[in-house]
Amino acid sequence: QVQLVESGGGLVQAGGSLRLSCAASGRTFSNTDMSWFRQAPGKEREFVAGISWWPSGTSYADSVKGRFTISRDNAKNTVYLQMNSLKPEDTAVYYCAARQRSGVIQARETYGYWGQGTQVTVSS
């Protein structure tokens, strides 16, 4: 059983930046794919960014490409999401997710572990 705890959300104005963190515990971390999803009111939970163990790599939703950067520190069992040039449409609850199975990294149904979420609000 993996426990994930997000932090770093908050209220920022458009064009600002936030850095989200997700701390994992309970199981090995290095062989786990980690991703960030987000859910705005009235919308489906959508993939934002992912970082895979093997094959190694990162993936981003088109809506955040060039603005967000996902990274991980395996020694600290932590994954990060650096969010720059934030837009009001980025407003959502951001969830950290982990999986130890195969599949396209964007597929939310493949993730078995989820954090409780952290609110990101971008004002205009």
Side-chain angles (χ1 to χ4, degrees), residues 14-111:
S17 297
L18 283 174
R19 181 174 178 262
L20 306 183
S21 298
C22 174
S25 63
R27 298 180 67 178
T28 57
F29 181 76
S30 295
N31 64 345
T32 302
D33 293 347
M34 303 290 296
S35 290
W36 290 94
F37 292 77
R38 68 187 182 188
Q39 188 166 21
K43 299 183 66 176
E44 295 289 321
R45 190 170 300 187
E46 65 177 358
F47 174 83
V48 176
I51 184 164
S52 62
W53 173 248
W54 189 89
S56 63
T58 58
S59 182
Y60 298 92
D62 288 342
S63 59
V64 307
K65 194 171 299 181
R67 300 186 297 120
F68 291 9
T69 303
I70 188 171
S71 62
R72 67 194 296 168
D73 186 338
N74 290 336
K76 296 182 178 180
N77 288 352
T78 301
V79 64
Y80 305 94
L81 185 67
Q82 178 66 47
M83 305 184 295
N84 298 325
S85 302
L86 284 162
K87 305 174 181 179
E89 52 263 43
D90 295 318
T91 296
V93 176
Y94 283 70
Y95 297 91
C96 179
R99 72 177 190 182
Q100 291 180 300
R101 57 168 289 179
S102 61
V104 295
I105 199 163
Q106 301 89 349
R108 65 185 181 189
E109 67 270 16
T110 64
Y111 290 82

